[in-house]
Amino acid sequence: TKDDRGIDYGRYHTHKLFAKCAMCPRSPAAFLCVHTLEAVCASHVADYYGGKSDRSLFINLLDITTSYDRIFWCEKCKLFTWKYTDVYEPLTDQLAYTKGSYWGDSLRDVVASEYRFKDIGGSRSLVCLGASCQGWRASQEDAEMAITLSVPCLTSAGSDTLAVFGVFDGHGGDAVAKIAAKALIAHFQAQVTISKAND
């Protein structure tokens, strides 16, 4: 059926369209091909496109409700574009409307992040891992950080290097968690810069 703006997308639901990557078991997917209405994870956008003109334009679910200029991804051009905004506005409106804060099922895929720090206290190195699971949320709302700081007043302890780890819980959105992670790193670095040996 059609309305005055074109195809009626009212029967589509974000959770069903993005439920799973069409090329691997990852769930949920992140990019929806507007030509086929099949979704893929970020790792498989290029493979799914495969040089086919009818698989070149994707809707980016990750930023659909937060960054208006990053909704449409053209794999052929390798850039975000505004060109098709008016054409697919009914579809993006429907996806944003049905996205919600929670998925219908808990997402249990574990995503790991590796942090490597070299030359800590001489020739030593540090390797650590972070792991996250999205759960029921529609997007990953938490953030993590791992940094090393050179703290001169610690030299007497055998090393002036301090490792700092942090996990930030989003509680309904990722914005504050991500800002807090970046701000805390900057705060630590600033405090070390102005600190004195007897602080």
Side-chain angles (χ1 to χ4, degrees), residues 101-118:
S101 298
Y102 297 92
W103 285 98
D105 298 306
S106 178
L107 306 174
R108 296 183 173 88
D109 293 351
V110 176
V111 178
S113 304
E114 182 180 60
Y115 302 90
R116 289 180 176 269
F117 304 98
K118 297 180 180 180

Side-chain angles (χ1 to χ4, degrees), residues 119-147:
D119 301 325
I120 295 180
S123 60
R124 293 181 298 173
S125 62
L126 172 67
V127 178
C128 56
L129 295 175
S132 62
C133 187
Q134 192 168 317
W136 292 92
R137 294 290 185 176
S139 60
Q140 179 56 265
E141 299 179 353
D142 304 332
E144 63 190 30
M145 72 167 207
I147 61 170

Side-chain angles (χ1 to χ4, degrees), residues 2 12 17 32 55 95 99 116 124 140 150 156 164 167 179 189 195 198:
K2 294 187 177 182
Y12 296 114
L17 290 174
L32 178 73
R55 291 187 173 193
L95 295 179
K99 181 181 178 185
R116 289 180 176 269
R124 293 181 298 173
Q140 179 56 265
S150 178
S156 60
V164 182
V167 176
I179 290 172
Q189 293 170 334
S195 66
N198 61 349

Side-chain angles (χ1 to χ4, degrees), residues 83-102:
K83 186 176 180 181
Y84 304 96
T85 301
D86 291 339
V87 177
Y88 291 103
E89 183 181 14
L91 176 57
T92 56
D93 285 350
Q94 178 68 9
L95 295 179
Y97 175 73
T98 58
K99 181 181 178 185
S101 298
Y102 297 92

